[in-house]
């Protein structure tokens, strides 16, 4: 049996360039979101507590230990 090889017909794809103006709003959004999550995991239920009680502390308790935040 003979095997034939077809010549490649597709040209290599060029990388798509994203304008920096399209990336900055998303980077700011995710940066603020990460800071809010970091606050609730690391600093909630302290002197700067936003939510009264221990509900937030109990919800993020294991995450605090996973990330190395002391809580007790």
């Amino acid at each position: 049996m003979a095997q034939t090889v077809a010549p490649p017909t597709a040209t290599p794809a060029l990388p798509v360039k994203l304008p920096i103006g399209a990336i900055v709003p998303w980077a700011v959004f995710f940066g603020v979101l990460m800071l809010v999550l970091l606050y609730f995991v690391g600093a909630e239920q302290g002197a700067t507590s936003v939510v009264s009680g221990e509900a937030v502390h109990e919800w993020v308790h294991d995450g605090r230990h996973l990330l190395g935040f002391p809580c007790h």
Side-chain angles (χ1 to χ4, degrees), residues 19-69:
I20 193 73
I23 297 172
V24 170
W26 287 104
V28 170
F29 171 72
F30 284 112
V32 169
L33 183 64
M34 291 298 113
L35 286 174
V36 169
L37 289 174
L38 183 66
Y39 168 77
F40 276 108
V41 171
E44 181 62 25
Q45 192 193 359
T48 61
S49 180
V50 174
V51 180
S52 63
E54 294 188 16
V56 173
H57 174 81
E58 293 303 322
W59 279 98
V60 297
H61 186 88
D62 293 336
R64 286 180 183 214
H65 289 295
L66 180 67
L67 294 174
F69 285 97

